[in-house]
Amino acid sequence: MKVQSALLTAISVFTAYYVYTPLPSTVSEPWKLMLLDATFRCAQDVSNLAHYVGLSHHLRVLNFVSNYFDKHDPISSGHMKVTDTVFDGVEVRIFEPTTEPSGTLKRSIIYIHGGGWALGSARTRSYDNLCRKVSEDVNAVVVSVEYRLVPDVHFPTPLDDAFTATKYFLSPEVLEKYSIDPDRIAISGDSAGGNLAAAVCQQIAGDPNVTIKPKLQALIYPVLQMLDFNTPSYQQNRDMPIVSRFVMIKFWLDYLNVSHTFAHSLEVNNHTSLDVSETLSLRELLNWHSLLPLSFKKDYKPVLQSTGNPNIIQEIPALIDRRASPLIALQETLQLLPKTYILTCEHDVLRDDGTIYARRLQEAGIDVTHDHYNDGFHGCMIFASWPTYFSVGARTRDGYIKWLKQNL
Ligand SMILES: *[C@@H]1O[C@H](CO)[C@@H](O)[C@H](O)[C@H]1NC(C)=O
Ligand SMILES: *[C@@H]1O[C@H](CO)[C@@H](O)[C@H](O)[C@H]1NC(C)=O
Ligand SMILES: *[C@@H]1O[C@H](CO)[C@@H](O)[C@H](O)[C@H]1NC(C)=O
């Protein structure tokens, strides 16, 4: 009896503390999302504890906890060859459909996984499943990039890895080896992987040494800027699972190898206040007052401090680096980019990053498809199979694949 009531109390405390989060009824399957979020927060707390007692860096623990049961070796099947290999020093997993006679030229997608530059892997079930499905359905070779992660490395190393692997793949010899049609290549990624994909595309566009350019870029709820943590979507979804504003800011600080003591300053935009003169013209490039539709802006007010943290550029030089924040690229760079797909979710702090980028690209004359999911949440596309199936997960994935099929 005693044990039972203790257990019951423990479960109630767990439920009350971890599970219950008030969520808008418009998000896809709110109860399931609460459970998913509770699991993620519980893993974060365990990681923070391990960090606190000095066992290991919290991100390393979190990555270990979330990948432990999930990573696996490449598994080929009758119609799909899967191999792990290395492209100019960077590990990649390659998915090759084998249904056609060898030598037939195929389409191809370079895929960069998400996870705040610190979590995830091309070898986890979620990304392995996604890339396999994309490869099968589009009948394309998918190269999934295993770039190195924070805290082992920091900005710009994950980007350099993604760029190096991409550049190596885009050489005529390598494309020939894999029977790839050089005119039908896409670069794609989700979340932090969408940040890397967008930056890689900008870098390739401006690099005369890369002569084979991608036909498409496809960005899934990408992270694109760190100058304004008070866009309407950051305000509206501040506490939304599974990536709240505070969690996103901490991912940024870890990526840039900066102390978490800056987090509160970033939350109130003290890093881009009027006295941080270096950031003024850049903030103008993401002036959401003119770049977002009214249905997104609602009644939210811009947060622009007159005095903030003027010395922050010395501490965070990457604050004004376009390789970290591809959203602040100049128009002349945007003009060189390929046809673009951008997917955004309503219940996501990053909704406006993607939306503003879509708008800026359109203004630069680029053909953009912007798919917005009103019941979507950040990360939903990898939750499209048991035990973490969400209807919006399957719909976002299928919509993305459909666009690739039609445009690649
Ligand atoms: C292109 O290649 C040349 C010769 O290897 C090199 O000197 C130059 O820096 C490269 N340009 C870029 C933009 O990487
Ligand atoms: C990250 O910061 C730490 C402490 O400030 C420093 O020792 C380390 O060299 C930095 N790493 C990189 C890659 O800049
Ligand atoms: C923002 O900057 C102002 C002016 O330096 C300072 O008074 C305020 O405490 C800062 N707020 C945060 C949260 O760092």
Side-chain angles (χ1 to χ4, degrees), residues 212-266:
I212 297 171
K213 309 278 186 190
K215 182 184 184 188
L216 309 172
Q217 66 173 340
L219 312 174
I220 313 302
Y221 34 76
V223 186
L224 294 171
Q225 58 89 23
M226 61 164 309
L227 288 111
D228 187 355
F229 289 109
N230 288 279
T231 59
S233 63
Y234 264 112
Q235 295 190 45
Q236 175 182 302
N237 303 303
R238 199 183 65 193
D239 300 315
M240 210 45 199
I242 37 185
V243 178
S244 66
R245 175 167 72 181
F246 201 61
V247 166
M248 192 59 236
I249 289 176
K250 288 195 290 184
F251 276 132
W252 267 113
L253 293 172
D254 285 321
Y255 183 39
L256 303 178
N257 199 18
V258 180
S259 155
H260 285 187
T261 51
F262 287 101
H264 291 291
S265 181
L266 265 55

Side-chain angles (χ1 to χ4, degrees), residues 64-80:
F64 178 79
V65 172
S66 48
N67 287 353
Y68 187 71
F69 299 105
D70 204 24
K71 267 198 181 177
H72 61 73
D73 291 335
I75 301 168
S76 298
S77 63
H79 55 281
M80 170 81 50

Side-chain angles (χ1 to χ4, degrees), residues 57 59 116-118 149-159 195-196 223-227 229 248-260 262 266 271 312-326 328:
H57 193 284
L59 287 172
W117 305 281
L149 298 175
V150 175
D152 294 334
V153 296
H154 299 276
F155 173 83
T157 306
L159 173 59
N195 167 279
L196 299 175
V223 186
L224 294 171
Q225 58 89 23
M226 61 164 309
L227 288 111
F229 289 109
M248 192 59 236
I249 289 176
K250 288 195 290 184
F251 276 132
W252 267 113
L253 293 172
D254 285 321
Y255 183 39
L256 303 178
N257 199 18
V258 180
S259 155
H260 285 187
F262 287 101
L266 265 55
H271 61 311
I312 204 157
I313 300 285
Q314 278 81 55
E315 306 286 344
I316 317 180
L319 187 58
I320 52 172
D321 195 323
R322 295 187 160 91
R323 294 174 304 161
S325 299
I328 53 172

Side-chain angles (χ1 to χ4, degrees), residues 176-405:
E176 199 187 318
K177 180 178 165 199
Y178 290 97
S179 303
I180 307 295
D181 184 341
D183 295 326
R184 302 178 83 183
I185 299 169
I187 298 183
S188 185
D190 63 293
S191 190
N195 167 279
L196 299 175
V200 164
C201 280
Q202 291 186 4
Q203 215 164 316
I204 287 175
D207 188 338
N209 293 345
V210 184
T211 52
I212 297 171
K213 309 278 186 190
K215 182 184 184 188
L216 309 172
Q217 66 173 340
L219 312 174
I220 313 302
Y221 34 76
V223 186
L224 294 171
Q225 58 89 23
M226 61 164 309
L227 288 111
D228 187 355
F229 289 109
N230 288 279
T231 59
S233 63
Y234 264 112
Q235 295 190 45
Q236 175 182 302
N237 303 303
R238 199 183 65 193
D239 300 315
M240 210 45 199
I242 37 185
V243 178
S244 66
R245 175 167 72 181
F246 201 61
V247 166
M248 192 59 236
I249 289 176
K250 288 195 290 184
F251 276 132
W252 267 113
L253 293 172
D254 285 321
Y255 183 39
L256 303 178
N257 199 18
V258 180
S259 155
H260 285 187
T261 51
F262 287 101
H264 291 291
S265 181
L266 265 55
E267 268 193 307
V268 298
N269 282 352
N270 259 7
H271 61 311
T272 50
S273 50
L274 290 171
D275 53 348
V276 188
S277 56
E278 295 91 337
T279 62
L280 289 185
S281 63
L282 301 179
R283 263 198 75 160
E284 198 47 43
L285 296 173
L286 48 107
N287 176 0
W288 51 260
H289 195 66
S290 62
L291 293 164
L292 287 179
L294 197 59
S295 58
F296 283 13
K297 280 191 288 191
K298 301 197 178 84
D299 289 330
Y300 293 106
K301 302 276 176 295
V303 174
L304 186 54
Q305 309 285 2
S306 48
T307 56
N309 199 342
N311 298 322
I312 204 157
I313 300 285
Q314 278 81 55
E315 306 286 344
I316 317 180
L319 187 58
I320 52 172
D321 195 323
R322 295 187 160 91
R323 294 174 304 161
S325 299
L327 188 53
I328 53 172
L330 296 172
Q331 172 118 351
E332 44 266 45
T333 306
L334 300 183
Q335 280 166 351
L336 304 171
L337 291 171
K339 190 170 181 178
T340 299
Y341 178 81
I342 294 185
L343 187 154
T344 55
C345 292
E346 180 62 20
H347 305 284
D348 181 0
V349 289
L350 299 161
R351 177 196 70 186
D352 297 343
D353 280 29
T355 305
I356 296 172
Y357 200 44
R359 177 72 187 274
R360 289 204 63 215
L361 285 164
Q362 275 161 348
E363 286 178 353
I366 307 301
D367 184 347
V368 180
T369 302
H370 176 195
D371 274 355
H372 180 65
Y373 287 79
N374 274 317
D375 62 343
F377 58 92
H378 191 73
C380 61
M381 199 172 85
I382 57 168
F383 301 117
S385 59
W386 192 87
T388 48
Y389 173 88
F390 284 81
S391 120
V392 73
R395 278 182 281 120
T396 45
R397 182 195 62 193
D398 295 346
Y400 162 67
I401 289 176
K402 185 173 167 207
W403 185 85
L404 285 172
K405 267 169 128 166

Side-chain angles (χ1 to χ4, degrees), residues 42-218:
C42 187
Q44 277 179 310
D45 286 347
V46 169
S47 311
N48 288 336
L49 183 68
H51 187 118
Y52 181 73
V53 301
L55 276 180
S56 180
H57 193 284
H58 69 103
L59 287 172
R60 220 172 263 128
V61 183
L62 191 57
N63 210 359
F64 178 79
V65 172
S66 48
N67 287 353
Y68 187 71
F69 299 105
D70 204 24
K71 267 198 181 177
H72 61 73
D73 291 335
I75 301 168
S76 298
S77 63
H79 55 281
M80 170 81 50
K81 186 171 134 198
V82 184
T83 39
D84 284 349
T85 183
V86 176
F87 278 2
D88 196 8
V90 180
E91 294 178 22
V92 294
R93 174 165 287 188
I94 304 182
F95 302 80
E96 293 174 83
T98 52
T99 44
E100 285 169 27
S102 62
T104 317
L105 285 189
K106 287 192 261 323
R107 304 188 270 185
S108 178
I109 298 141
I110 295 160
Y111 197 84
I112 309 173
H113 73 80
W117 305 281
L119 308 175
S121 158
R123 296 175 184 148
T124 53
R125 191 181 51 88
S126 12
Y127 285 107
D128 187 273
N129 281 351
L130 175 67
C131 290
R132 201 175 283 268
K133 172 105 177 117
V134 171
S135 174
E136 272 169 10
D137 290 4
V138 185
N139 190 26
V141 173
V142 175
V143 175
S144 186
V145 184
E146 190 74 331
Y147 57 93
R148 284 168 290 169
L149 298 175
V150 175
D152 294 334
V153 296
H154 299 276
F155 173 83
T157 306
L159 173 59
D160 290 344
D161 281 358
F163 180 73
T164 301
T166 303
K167 187 173 172 180
Y168 177 87
F169 184 65
L170 292 178
S171 70
E173 302 75 34
V174 178
L175 293 179
E176 199 187 318
K177 180 178 165 199
Y178 290 97
S179 303
I180 307 295
D181 184 341
D183 295 326
R184 302 178 83 183
I185 299 169
I187 298 183
S188 185
D190 63 293
S191 190
N195 167 279
L196 299 175
V200 164
C201 280
Q202 291 186 4
Q203 215 164 316
I204 287 175
D207 188 338
N209 293 345
V210 184
T211 52
I212 297 171
K213 309 278 186 190
K215 182 184 184 188
L216 309 172
Q217 66 173 340

